[in-house]
Amino acid sequence: MDSIYVKDLCKSWGSFALDHLSFHVPQGCIVGLMGENGAGKSTTIRLLADALTPDAGEIRLLGGSPQDPAIKEQLGVVFDETGFHHVFTPKRIGKMLSGIYRTWDEALFQSYLERFHIPSEKAIGSLSKGTRQKLAIVSALAHRPKLLLLDEVTAGLDPVVRGELLDLFLEFIQDETHTILFSSHISSDVERIADYVILLHRGKVVLQAQKDALLYDCGIVRCSRADFAQLSPDDYLFARQTNTAMECLVADKAAFRRSHDHLLVDRVTLEELLLFYTKEEIS
C-alpha cells in the first residue's frame, strides 16, 4: 500500500513550475525529498499538506484526499518555521491542539516535553530555535498520526538536536503503518535514516530509488581526460570536469570495474549524486 500517491502534479507561479510530478511513497518507510534550492521541495510538501492548491494532478494520502477531514486527522505536518505564536507556552499549545485532534494524547505530549527538556511554562519566543523545532515535531506526533510530512525541519540545527530528532523519526516508523516524507538539503540526514530517495530538479522528479541499493550500485570514476576520451557515453550517466581530472557517475560500479579494470571506481554519497543530477553535463 502507498501512503502517498502523486500523479502529474503541477503548480506554477512566476518563473517557477512543478512540472507533472509523479511519485509514490510506500507505507512503513522514510523517504527523503532532495534537490537544490528552488527545486520544488517545499512546494511539494505544502501541496501534499493542502496548504497550497495544485493547478493540476492527483494527490492521494493514506488512500484518500488531502481535503478529507478524516485524512487530515491522520497527518502530522511540520514546516521549517513552527507557526506557533511566540507568546504561547507549550502547555497552552497542548490545550489548543487537544481541542482540534480527537486522537490527541496528552500523556504522550507531556512525556515528549520531559524527554526533550522542553519547559511547559516558558513562552515559545524565549526558547532556542532547536527547542522550538522539537516542540513543533512532538506536537505533530502527540495526536498519533500515521503520516508525517516534514519540510526542512532539521535545517539550521546543531548536530546534537538533529541527532535527537532523527532518532525520534526512526522510532516513529517502528510501527510499520507509519510513514515519513521529509524534505532536506542536509544529505547526511537523508543518508542516515531514509529508506527511499526522491530527487527533484527544476520542478521535476529526476530520480526515485531505494537508498541503499542506489548507494551500493552507483559509483564515481575519477580519471584523466585521456582515459575519459576512451569511454563510451553508454559507460556513464553523467560526467563533469574538475580542476585536475574527469569524474563520471556510473549506474553499476561492479560492471564498470569488470570492463574497465584499469580505472578506479569510488563509492558515491547522496551529496555527490545530487551534484551530478543537478549540474549540467559536459559537452
Side-chain angles (χ1 to χ4, degrees):
M1 174 183 173
D2 289 334
S3 291
I4 301 174
Y5 174 83
V6 173
K7 179 69 173 177
D8 291 329
L9 186 63
C10 299
K11 180 69 178 179
S12 63
W13 59 85
S15 60
F16 173 79
L18 282 185
D19 186 7
H20 293 86
L21 251 63
S22 296
F23 64 88
H24 65 96
V25 173
Q27 184 183 69
C29 67
I30 300 179
V31 177
L33 185 64
M34 301 180 66
E36 75 276 15
N37 290 337
K41 301 187 298 297
S42 294
T43 300
T44 300
I45 295 290
R46 290 178 183 275
L47 287 167
L48 296 178
D50 197 33
L52 291 175
T53 302
D55 297 334
E58 180 183 2
I59 300 173
R60 305 290 289 176
L61 304 181
L62 303 172
S65 167
Q67 291 83 34
D68 185 342
I71 296 298
K72 288 179 181 289
E73 185 84 12
Q74 300 178 72
L75 300 183
V77 181
V78 184
F79 299 118
D80 57 350
E81 296 295 335
T82 63
F84 296 141
H85 198 287
H86 68 277
V87 301
F88 290 162
T89 64
K91 182 177 181 180
R92 175 73 182 276
I93 294 297
K95 288 183 178 179
M96 293 170 57
L97 294 178
S98 67
I100 297 174
Y101 293 105
R102 292 174 299 173
T103 54
W104 181 261
D105 189 330
E106 182 63 22
L108 179 62
F109 181 62
Q110 291 298 325
S111 72
Y112 280 141
L113 295 183
E114 294 176 10
R115 172 180 172 181
F116 293 106
H117 309 291
I118 303 171
S120 62
E121 301 286 355
K122 279 193 174 183
I124 292 172
S126 69
L127 303 177
S128 68
K129 179 177 181 179
T131 302
R132 293 197 303 270
Q133 199 67 311
K134 285 190 284 188
L135 174 62
I137 291 168
V138 302
S139 298
L141 289 172
H143 72 278
R144 297 189 177 277
K146 290 186 177 179
L147 172 60
L148 279 182
L149 302 175
L150 309 171
D151 184 25
E152 297 285 2
V153 295
T154 59
L157 303 181
D158 66 64
V160 173
V161 174
R162 280 174 38 220
E164 290 177 329
L165 294 179
L166 295 179
D167 287 342
L168 183 59
F169 300 155
L170 289 171
E171 290 176 18
F172 177 75
I173 63 153
Q174 293 307 303
D175 182 325
E176 295 182 357
T177 66
H178 291 169
T179 307
I180 298 176
L181 175 67
F182 77 108
S183 70
S184 180
H185 68 274
I186 304 175
S187 58
S188 60
D189 287 355
V190 180
E191 198 158 329
R192 176 178 168 185
I193 68 170
D195 300 297
Y196 292 85
V197 175
I198 298 171
L199 180 57
L200 299 184
H201 178 47
R202 296 179 180 174
K204 297 182 179 181
V205 174
V206 294
L207 178 68
Q208 178 173 353
Q210 201 276 339
K211 181 204 68 182
D212 288 342
L214 187 67
L215 296 179
Y216 180 82
D217 291 336
C218 292
I220 296 180
V221 178
R222 295 178 171 90
C223 61
S224 67
R225 276 183 166 274
D227 285 329
F228 176 74
Q230 301 302 310
L231 297 179
S232 163
D234 294 333
D235 288 330
Y236 57 88
L237 297 172
F238 301 100
R240 65 186 182 190
Q241 182 177 343
T242 69
N243 290 334
T244 59
M246 300 298 300
E247 293 184 343
C248 306
L249 178 66
V250 298
D252 187 337
K253 61 176 179 282
F256 187 92
R257 284 168 176 154
R258 288 193 296 269
S259 57
H260 302 84
D261 57 6
H262 63 294
L263 295 178
L264 179 65
V265 187
D266 294 328
R267 69 177 298 273
V268 70
T269 66
L270 288 182
E271 182 175 359
E272 289 168 325
L273 278 168
L274 178 63
L275 291 174
F276 272 108
Y277 272 90
T278 58
K279 298 296 182 183
E280 294 297 328
E281 187 175 8
I282 67 166
S283 57

